[in-house]
Amino acid sequence: MAPLVRIRPYKDFLTPALHRRFSKAAVALLGLCYVEAILLGQWDSLFWSWFPFGLVGIRTGLLFICAFSIFVLRVAQLHVGLRTTSSEFQTFKQYALRFETAQTAVWYLFSAWLYSEVYIYSASSDANIRWITGAKNNERPRLNERPIYLTSYFILLSLVQTGNHLAYDYDRVDMPGKKSKSGDGPEKQANLNLPPSAQLKAVFPALITKSTKRSLTMSILGPIIYYLTIRQYAWTWTLTFARLVWSLPRSTAIPPISPFHWRLLLRTFTGGFLLTLMWEFGNAAFSAYVAQEPLKNDRPITYESRDPNGSLLTGLKGKRLQTRAFAFWELVYIAERYQGRRKTIYEDIDRVGGSTWSQILGVCLSTINGMNDRITLYLNPPLPASTPANTIAEPGLPRLTSGLQAGDIVMPSLPPKSTSKSIAHAVGSIAKEHGQSPSEPLIKGRRLLNQAKSAVLTPEQERSISPDGIWAVARQYALQALQGPVGGPFRQEFRRRVNTVVLGSPHGELGILVDAVDALTRLTVCSLREDPYGNVQKDIPTIIRTFTVTIERLEIFTENLSFHWTDIEKRRECPEVDTILTALKDGLQELLLAFGDYAEDLKLSQTDMRTARQAAAPKKRDIEMKESGR
């Protein structure tokens, strides 16, 4: 038995790789901050307006702090996988009151406040946006409302950015769903993993457009919101702190003239554009650099480990979704590109917990079978637990008396002796009789009411005022509301409901499922030439049957799942499931092509092979989608 070697966990190799990518993204963001620092300057000197070791360098550092705060936020809330909920409203309910939501708002508010200070003090004195106006004719200095509005505008813009950050899930690192290059065209292979610089260059025009629209919209709505809601509060709050620094008049009245000069509105647009562009570019750079291949010097990141396969297994079995996502990504590359590392998986049989192949097989099959288990649990939910009745009599002490008497055990009352008691007894009997059963006038009244209703109302009107009719009318109005933008967050669309079941919740990563299928397929097919011990051979029937059953269950589930009544579009489409089915069918076809001639030796019956071929055959809908994609 090989000597025991301490297995370094996968995160010991992933974390340094993420740090290197984080540093590269920060350098790209620093370059944008330097350009914006030049644009915010006064341009009064041809040399000092761009020279980095001067005021431009100071502004660059302060702007980088504004942008870097978003990087801190992204690191704290980084995750992979889609947020799987049945509707946008359910997503809002699930995440609105979390600590992460408040943390997002706080970091954006801090970034906007610091940027406003840099913007105000970078402007020339002619712009008239300093906090204190100069004294004239021996007057005391006064508080200027223009920087108050400018700061309020940037704060409002940060709240809008917070809403977009949360609504569009900026914290998610978008990893490619299909990493294997087998079966893809040359264009898809070329675009599988673009360098981060190429990705940023491609999305930069879209970032400029988005920043322009957002800043222009807030430049129009900002004066209205400021004047109607926060002007009094912002003036009073700023005046309170300004008096701690400057000697200001005692008057707390708001200036009669509004600060909305066209030059100030133009400054809000340009400043808001630069701030939004910095935020959007920072988020795009972080996502582009972090979502890179788990490679170092064009080799898997675990190659430096004393036990590379052991470190990889700790990542495949990790608890955090992002750790498992990168580990499965590396496993696919090993199975497809690195023959020497792939051979060690077959040859490493002397390991605690089983051979490397058996552990990889167990992790991949567990990931694939997880989809089947979630579908089964959704179609057959567990019954609520109920306490069973104790029907078995426990032995106790012997009975000393006879059982209770059956029937009426109350003694009849004695007849009344006086006349007053006789009258009271008669009145009580009449009251009991009428209280226990409806009286005849009440029955006649109900009958007359039903006859009058039948005579006045038509059958259609009677159905309309019934509970079912009222619900039908309410549902009709609800469907009309769902067709508008207000009802969009309440729609439970087919795609979202399917993803919640197939991918899992609260987050589901498509790439892990596809990687498990592709890795098993590549390792199994390559075992024909590279497995010296033949350990993979005995597991081939299990892999083929698992792929077959999973394909059948996914197709049956997506074809038979009924639409929710709020799904007004009723489109039976789910690209994520289509990607999984494509990977399963392609993998099953490769397995059948490689091992079809050895079916009898592998103990695969003719029924198994026929069922597998039927499952692997592309359906008419898949063929039409491929032809339309061309």
Side-chain angles (χ1 to χ4, degrees):
M1 185 174 181
L4 294 178
V5 179
R6 178 185 176 273
I7 300 176
R8 293 181 61 185
Y10 189 79
K11 65 178 182 179
D12 287 358
F13 304 95
L14 180 61
T15 302
L18 294 180
H19 285 172
R20 290 190 296 269
R21 300 170 188 180
F22 181 85
S23 301
K24 294 179 181 179
V27 170
L29 184 59
L30 181 63
L32 179 66
C33 293
Y34 174 69
V35 174
E36 292 194 0
I38 296 176
L39 296 176
L40 292 178
Q42 299 182 17
W43 292 82
D44 53 357
S45 174
L46 183 60
F47 177 77
W48 292 106
S49 61
W50 62 268
F51 189 65
F53 299 102
L55 293 178
V56 175
I58 297 175
R59 282 197 300 269
T60 302
L62 294 175
L63 290 177
F64 183 70
I65 295 176
C66 301
F68 193 78
S69 61
I70 307 305
F71 271 29
V72 176
L73 172 67
R74 291 294 304 273
V75 171
Q77 301 183 175
L78 183 146
H79 73 87
V80 298
L82 298 170
R83 294 185 303 198
T84 50
T85 52
S86 58
S87 66
E88 296 178 2
F89 178 71
Q90 185 177 356
T91 304
F92 174 78
K93 285 175 48 181
Q94 188 171 345
Y95 293 93
L97 300 180
R98 290 191 174 185
F99 170 75
E100 290 80 3
T101 303
Q103 181 176 238
T104 304
V106 168
W107 280 112
Y108 274 111
L109 287 171
F110 168 76
S111 177
W113 170 79
L114 183 58
Y115 177 85
S116 67
E117 296 296 324
V118 176
Y119 188 85
I120 290 171
Y121 285 101
S122 298
S124 62
S125 58
D126 298 336
N128 193 20
I129 58 173
R130 299 297 172 88
W131 288 102
I132 301 298
T133 58
K136 296 180 181 179
N137 299 327
N138 297 324
E139 295 180 356
R140 301 174 69 180
R142 294 173 299 167
L143 183 63
N144 190 4
E145 191 180 5
R146 289 191 173 189
I148 298 177
Y149 169 70
L150 199 61
T151 304
S152 301
Y153 168 81
F154 290 136
I155 289 177
L156 291 175
L157 194 62
S158 69
L159 296 178
V160 173
Q161 183 70 20
T162 300
N164 284 272
H165 186 107
L166 297 172
Y168 296 102
D169 197 11
Y170 282 17
D171 295 323
R172 172 177 173 251
V173 175
D174 190 8
M175 304 174 67
K178 180 77 172 177
K179 288 91 173 181
S180 176
K181 296 182 179 180
S182 59
D184 291 341
E187 296 182 358
K188 290 187 176 180
Q189 292 183 16
N191 297 328
L192 183 61
N193 281 294
L194 289 175
S197 58
Q199 295 183 31
L200 293 176
K201 183 179 179 180
V203 302
F204 195 73
L207 298 181
I208 293 178
T209 303
K210 185 187 299 184
S211 303
T212 303
K213 292 180 179 179
R214 195 169 299 168
S215 59
L216 181 60
T217 302
M218 289 306 300
S219 297
I220 297 173
L221 298 179
I224 301 174
I225 300 174
Y226 176 79
Y227 188 81
L228 297 179
T229 57
I230 63 176
R231 187 185 184 192
Q232 178 67 45
Y233 173 77
W235 173 266
T236 305
W237 187 82
T238 307
L239 184 61
T240 302
F241 285 92
R243 284 175 174 169
L244 300 177
V245 182
W246 296 286
S247 177
L248 300 176
R250 294 184 178 181
S251 175
T252 60
I254 300 179
I257 301 176
S258 301
F260 311 128
H261 193 270
W262 68 269
R263 293 182 179 177
L264 182 63
L265 297 180
L266 180 61
R267 283 189 170 273
T268 58
F269 169 72
T270 56
F273 167 77
L274 294 177
L275 178 59
T276 306
L277 181 62
M278 183 174 61
W279 285 335
E280 292 291 338
F281 183 84
N283 282 299
F286 186 91
S287 299
Y289 277 95
V290 171
Q292 289 299 298
E293 305 167 317
L295 302 178
K296 181 181 180 181
N297 300 327
D298 202 25
R299 289 185 292 181
I301 59 176
T302 56
Y303 81 95
E304 295 179 342
S305 175
R306 298 178 62 184
D307 185 3
N309 292 334
S311 299
L312 179 61
L313 287 173
T314 61
L316 296 174
K317 300 176 182 179
K319 296 181 180 180
R320 302 189 65 181
L321 187 61
Q322 51 261 37
T323 303
R324 288 190 283 120
F326 281 103
F328 271 99
W329 195 348
E330 181 178 347
L331 177 63
V332 170
Y333 277 6
I334 292 173
E336 182 181 277
R337 303 182 183 181
Y338 302 97
Q339 181 180 7
R341 179 71 182 274
R342 186 172 59 232
K343 287 183 178 180
T344 62
I345 294 178
Y346 307 124
E347 298 171 354
D348 189 6
I349 60 175
D350 194 8
R351 177 177 295 278
V352 177
S355 64
T356 301
W357 160 253
S358 64
Q359 295 189 48
I360 290 177
L361 175 67
V363 173
C364 292
L365 289 182
S366 175
T367 302
I368 299 172
N369 288 326
M371 293 187 292
N372 301 329
D373 296 339
R374 288 189 292 269
I375 292 174
T376 303
L377 184 63
Y378 178 82
L379 297 177
N380 303 300
L383 298 176
S386 58
T387 304
N390 188 8
T391 57
I392 302 176
E394 297 181 358
L397 297 174
R399 186 181 297 275
L400 302 178
T401 60
S402 59
L404 296 176
Q405 178 180 354
D408 190 5
I409 61 175
V410 181
M411 295 181 60
S413 58
L414 299 176
K417 298 181 179 180
S418 61
T419 305
S420 60
K421 292 183 179 181
S422 300
I423 295 175
H425 179 73
V427 172
S429 301
I430 295 174
K432 290 180 181 179
E433 180 181 357
H434 286 272
Q436 293 175 355
S437 60
S439 60
E440 184 176 355
L442 183 60
I443 297 176
K444 290 182 179 180
R446 291 179 179 175
R447 189 182 303 115
L448 292 175
L449 181 61
N450 293 331
Q451 292 176 358
K453 184 172 65 173
S454 302
V456 174
L457 301 177
T458 62
E460 292 78 7
Q461 292 174 339
E462 291 185 12
R463 287 192 296 269
S464 63
I465 65 175
S466 63
D468 294 338
I470 295 174
W471 167 246
V473 174
R475 183 173 181 176
Q476 181 179 0
Y477 283 109
L479 290 175
Q480 293 178 359
L482 289 171
Q483 294 177 357
V486 178
F490 301 95
R491 300 173 190 165
Q492 297 190 20
E493 298 176 351
F494 179 83
R495 177 180 178 179
R496 299 180 67 103
R497 295 172 61 213
V498 170
N499 284 335
T500 303
V501 178
V502 175
L503 302 182
S505 59
H507 297 97
E509 174 55 37
L510 172 66
I512 292 180
L513 299 172
V514 177
D515 292 346
V517 175
D518 290 341
L520 272 186
T521 302
R522 290 285 90 213
L523 290 173
T524 305
V525 173
C526 293
S527 68
L528 276 172
R529 298 181 179 180
E530 301 175 3
D531 183 10
Y533 306 113
N535 291 328
V536 180
Q537 176 181 349
K538 59 183 177 58
D539 299 316
I540 294 175
T542 303
I543 298 174
I544 293 178
R545 293 189 184 104
T546 301
F547 282 18
T548 304
V549 171
T550 305
I551 292 172
E552 292 176 347
R553 289 193 178 182
L554 283 175
E555 290 180 341
I556 293 174
F557 177 69
T558 54
E559 291 175 0
N560 296 334
L561 181 65
S562 59
F563 294 105
H564 196 266
W565 69 272
T566 58
D567 189 0
I568 58 176
E569 295 182 355
K570 291 183 170 51
R571 290 188 298 183
R572 196 173 291 275
E573 298 176 358
C574 187
E576 291 78 11
V577 173
D578 293 339
T579 303
I580 297 173
L581 284 173
T582 301
L584 286 168
K585 291 187 176 184
D586 292 345
L588 189 56
Q589 287 177 357
E590 290 188 41
L591 293 176
L592 294 177
L593 183 62
F595 300 98
D597 297 335
Y598 313 105
E600 294 184 0
D601 298 332
L602 296 174
K603 297 181 180 180
L604 285 169
S605 63
Q606 295 182 357
T607 303
D608 294 334
M609 297 298 294
R610 183 174 62 255
T611 305
R613 292 190 181 96
Q614 292 176 355
K619 292 196 173 183
K620 181 179 179 181
R621 179 171 173 268
D622 300 334
I623 297 175
E624 292 177 353
M625 291 179 61
K626 289 184 179 180
E627 292 178 352
S628 61
R630 294 176 184 175

